[in-house]
């Protein structure tokens, strides 16, 4: 009986193995035995552009803008270091400080490139201070710059190559979600455009610094696609920690991972953007892959990416601009204000309508602007002030209206603000081009002043001066590792 039972068990196992083999034979070979897919023209052009980016000279305007965005992102990393997302990331980093390869900003810690990219990314998007690209619905800098910094330190690259790598990261990442139809994709897919653009941008920047050739860049894009992730549920995070991870930490880390595994010898699919089971079939079947290379080398996305004048959520930028424009023409006493009506596009209004966090709550920030005549970083992060009676008195005057007219103009973020005084006077202003956008750019002095305001309370004036000087002379920097002394706390 025992012998029979053993025999039966063996037969069962053999049958299961045979069944599994038959199933595999019926399913897996369909993909494994498929004919090789030739590299398509989009992938060929894209991978060649990426491989050549490290040695390709950039127009002077692009170099200048790249410095603005690098400085702005470094400032976001440093200023965000005291906020909850950064504190969570820095706590995580303490388990990995035995590796001295890569810098963790606003601290004395180092880590391996993967953890450093994740943590610095979360520092950069601990707040609403970092840049944004409205055409792709992404925040490129908070993923691209930390990834480039980690890879640059890993490979000991110079400042000029670092600058070019950041630029190509902005070129590639945003084009991915642009090719998806960014705004509609964001609204209908439940996926996070910010994370998707972020990983491809981070991977392109890190791959450039790793010195990958065109074939390796194709594999890099393959591994970036396999790690592409992020869903729209981040909007339900009231502490900003998950948002910081999704927008910045995760894509920065995943992008560096893609570069390092390919640099170490991984191979993969030659063209993830075409052929069976390609990335567009999986993510955006109605997407237009040809937009990945549209005006590549002519239209630099870093020039089209916004630097925020105000350290608040993007939808609040235009309303604060409008308030500032009104104040520039007429003195407005808060006690003389009866109502303030703000009109925004539907999607913008819903993002900032009576939120729990001060820097993404429109009604609160309008009240702060009315009282202070400006909106400082400190005021935008003063949670206690949200319950202050003087602020609540002014906040009660603010009405947010969703506008069909402004919705049709997306992704442009326009706003109309009307202040009605107690004597019946109506003061209004419509912002068509937000300060810091390509149509109304900030000057070098404004970008530097913003960085000073953000960094000096954390690292002091002398070190902030050194950081500014170092960024604006990146072409002369022999090794990116030299940035550590100006990014970390003394």
């Amino acid at each position: 009986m025992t012998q029979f039972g053993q025999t039966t068990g063996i037969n069962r196992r053999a049958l299961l193995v045979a069944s599994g083999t038959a199933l595999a034979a019926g399913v897996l070979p369909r993909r494994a035995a498929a004919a090789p897919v030739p590299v398509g023209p989009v992938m060929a052009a894209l991978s060649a552009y990426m491989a050549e980016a490290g040695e390709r000279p950039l127009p002077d305007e692009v170099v200048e803008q790249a410095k603005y965005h690098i400085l702005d992102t470094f400032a976001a990393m440093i200023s965000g270091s005291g906020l909850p997302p950064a504190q969570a990331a820095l706590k995580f980093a303490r388990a990995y400080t035995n590796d001295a390869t890569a810098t963790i900003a606003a601290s004395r810690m180092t880590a391996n490139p993967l953890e450093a990219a994740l943590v610095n990314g979360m520092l950069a998007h601990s707040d609403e201070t970092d840049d944004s690209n409205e055409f792709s619905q992404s925040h490129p800098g908070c993923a691209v710059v930390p990834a480039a910094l980690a890879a640059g330190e890993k490979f000991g690259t110079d400042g000029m190559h670092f600058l070019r790598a950041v630029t190509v990261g902005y070129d590639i990442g945003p084009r991915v979600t642009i090719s998806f139809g960014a705004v509609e994709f964001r609204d209908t897919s439940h996926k996070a455009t910010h994370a998707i653009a972020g990983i491809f941008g981070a991977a392109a920047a890190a791959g450039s610094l790793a010195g990958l050739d065109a074939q390796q860049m194709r594999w890099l894009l393959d591994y970036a696609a396999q790690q592409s992730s992020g869903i729209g549920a981040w909007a339900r995070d009231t502490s900003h920690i998950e948002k910081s991870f999704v927008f910045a930490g995760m894509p920065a880390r995943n992008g560096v991972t893609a570069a390092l595994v390919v640099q170490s010898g991984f191979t993969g699919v030659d063209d993830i953007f075409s052929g069976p089971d390609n990335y567009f079939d999986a993510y955006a079947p109605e997407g237009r892959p040809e937009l990945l290379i549209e005006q590549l080398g002519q239209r630099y996305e870093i020039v089209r990416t916004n630097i925020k004048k105000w350290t608040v959520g993007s939808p609040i930028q235009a309303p604060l601009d409008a308030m500032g424009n009104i104040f520039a023409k007429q003195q407005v006493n808060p006690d003389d204000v009866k109502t303030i009506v703000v009109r925004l596009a539907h999607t913008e209004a819903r993002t900032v309508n009576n939120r729990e966090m001060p820097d993404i709550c429109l009604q609160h920030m309008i009240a702060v602007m009315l009282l202070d005549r400006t909106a400082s970083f400190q005021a935008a992060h003063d949670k206690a002030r949200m319950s202050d009676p003087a602020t609540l008195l002014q906040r009660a005057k603010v009405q947010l209206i969703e506008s069909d007219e402004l919705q049709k103009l997306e992704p442009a973020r326009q706003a109309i603000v009307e202040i009605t005084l107690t004597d019946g006077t109506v003061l209004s202003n419509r912002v068509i081009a937000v300060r810091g956008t390509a149509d109304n750019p900030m000057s070098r002095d404004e970008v530097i002043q913003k960085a000073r305001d953000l960094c000096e309370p954390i690292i002091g004036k002398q070190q902030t001066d050194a950081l500014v000087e170092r960024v604006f002379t990146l072409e002369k920097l022999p090794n990116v590792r030299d940035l550590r002394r100006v990014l970390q706390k003394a």
Side-chain angles (χ1 to χ4, degrees):
M1 189 70 173
T2 303
Q3 185 178 5
F4 179 79
Q6 291 172 340
T7 303
T8 302
I10 291 171
N11 286 343
R12 284 175 178 164
R13 287 195 294 273
L15 180 61
L16 288 171
V17 170
S19 299
T21 302
L23 283 171
V27 177
L28 295 180
R30 180 182 67 81
R31 291 178 179 172
V37 176
V39 175
V42 169
M43 178 60 78
L46 190 64
S47 58
Y49 181 84
M50 293 165 64
E52 296 164 2
E55 303 301 328
R56 184 186 301 112
L58 295 169
D60 290 345
E61 176 198 8
V62 176
V63 170
E64 180 77 356
Q65 287 293 321
K67 292 175 180 178
Y68 292 178
H69 287 273
I70 291 168
L71 178 61
D72 193 63
T73 304
F74 283 163
M77 289 160 61
I78 291 168
S79 65
S81 62
L83 300 176
Q87 292 298 301
L90 291 168
K91 180 180 179 181
F92 167 82
R94 291 189 185 101
Y96 300 94
T97 55
N98 59 328
D99 190 321
T101 302
T103 299
I104 294 178
S107 75
R108 296 299 297 163
M109 294 188 288
T110 59
N112 71 54
L114 302 180
E115 274 71 43
L118 185 151
V119 174
N120 284 332
M122 291 189 68
L123 287 172
H125 195 67
S126 286
D127 181 33
E128 296 296 335
T129 303
D130 55 306
D131 62 20
S132 63
N133 182 293
E134 63 193 55
F135 308 100
S136 61
Q137 294 297 293
S138 73
H139 287 232
C142 60
V144 171
V145 174
L149 179 63
E153 290 186 285
K154 165 71 175 174
F155 297 110
T157 190
D158 61 44
M160 190 70 245
H161 283 86
F162 172 74
L163 193 151
R164 289 171 178 166
V166 168
T167 303
V168 78
Y170 277 73
D171 271 342
I172 303 307
R175 274 182 167 83
V176 173
T177 49
I178 287 171
S179 72
F180 286 1
V183 173
E184 183 178 0
F185 178 82
R186 177 201 67 189
D187 293 342
T188 61
S189 71
H190 306 290
K191 294 185 174 70
T193 53
H194 309 80
I196 294 168
I199 184 177
F200 283 98
S208 178
L209 293 167
L212 304 187
D213 62 25
Q215 174 62 77
Q216 291 173 309
M217 286 296 188
R218 293 194 277 274
W219 294 331
L220 171 99
L221 291 168
D222 178 29
Y223 283 99
Q226 292 291 3
Q227 296 179 91
S228 175
S229 58
I231 55 176
W234 62 261
R236 296 175 4 219
D237 168 33
T238 59
S239 64
H240 210 276
I241 294 175
E242 181 179 349
K243 185 171 185 276
S244 173
F245 177 80
V246 171
F247 278 42
M250 176 181 70
R253 179 202 60 197
N254 289 358
V256 174
T257 298
L260 294 186
V261 298
V262 172
Q263 192 270 341
S264 75
F266 280 33
T267 61
V269 171
D270 287 339
D271 190 349
I272 194 62
F273 295 146
S274 66
D277 301 313
N278 70 72
Y279 184 64
F280 279 83
D281 284 349
Y283 270 70
E286 303 303 318
R288 298 172 58 195
E290 69 274 13
L291 296 184
L292 290 169
I293 57 172
E294 184 180 63
Q295 293 185 293
L296 203 56
Q298 302 171 41
R299 188 190 79 218
Y300 292 90
E301 287 300 321
I302 202 162
V303 176
R304 300 207 305 166
T305 299
N306 307 331
I307 292 178
K308 293 179 178 177
K309 177 180 179 180
W310 311 100
T311 55
V312 298
S314 292
I316 307 177
Q317 299 289 315
L320 293 184
D321 275 1
M323 294 281 286
N325 293 339
I326 291 171
F327 295 160
K329 295 180 179 179
Q330 181 168 335
Q331 180 73 31
V332 177
N333 186 323
D335 293 336
D336 294 335
V337 173
K338 181 180 180 182
T339 60
I340 303 176
V341 175
V342 180
R343 289 181 170 81
L344 289 175
H346 299 292
T347 49
E348 306 304 319
R350 292 165 190 171
T351 300
V352 295
N353 184 26
N354 281 319
R355 296 292 298 275
E356 299 89 345
M357 296 174 63
D359 58 332
I360 54 173
C361 178
L362 178 129
Q363 290 87 345
H364 174 70
M365 290 311 305
I366 291 294
V368 168
M369 186 74 174
L370 180 60
L371 289 166
D372 298 355
R373 297 183 62 80
T374 190
S376 67
F377 178 88
Q378 181 180 1
H381 297 86
D382 187 349
K383 179 82 172 184
R385 195 172 178 183
M386 296 188 81
S387 57
D388 175 63
T391 307
L392 290 173
L393 177 65
Q394 304 305 325
R395 178 172 171 170
K397 302 174 182 179
V398 182
Q399 180 183 5
L400 175 59
I401 296 177
E402 297 182 12
S403 167
D404 293 337
E405 175 193 358
L406 299 183
Q407 181 66 31
K408 294 174 184 177
L409 300 175
E410 279 221 301
R413 284 174 164 160
Q414 297 191 18
I416 302 170
V417 173
E418 297 173 351
I419 300 177
T420 301
L421 304 181
T422 52
D423 65 4
T425 301
V426 177
L427 309 172
S428 66
N429 186 260
R430 177 170 183 164
V431 171
I432 296 174
V434 173
R435 188 64 173 169
T437 61
D439 293 327
N440 188 13
M442 293 169 68
S443 66
R444 177 189 275 215
D445 287 345
E446 286 178 289
V447 174
I448 291 174
Q449 188 56 53
K450 177 186 174 185
R452 291 190 189 284
D453 291 343
L454 294 175
C455 294
E456 286 184 7
I458 309 297
I459 60 174
K461 184 180 187 304
Q462 184 176 357
Q463 189 172 325
T464 300
D465 290 344
L467 173 62
V468 171
E469 191 275 336
R470 193 68 53 85
V471 169
F472 280 101
T473 55
L474 273 172
E475 303 96 325
K476 301 176 182 178
L477 190 68
N479 196 315
V480 169
R481 293 169 185 156
D482 293 336
L483 289 170
R484 180 173 297 178
R485 68 190 67 178
V486 295
L487 288 173
Q488 290 199 319
K489 290 182 177 179

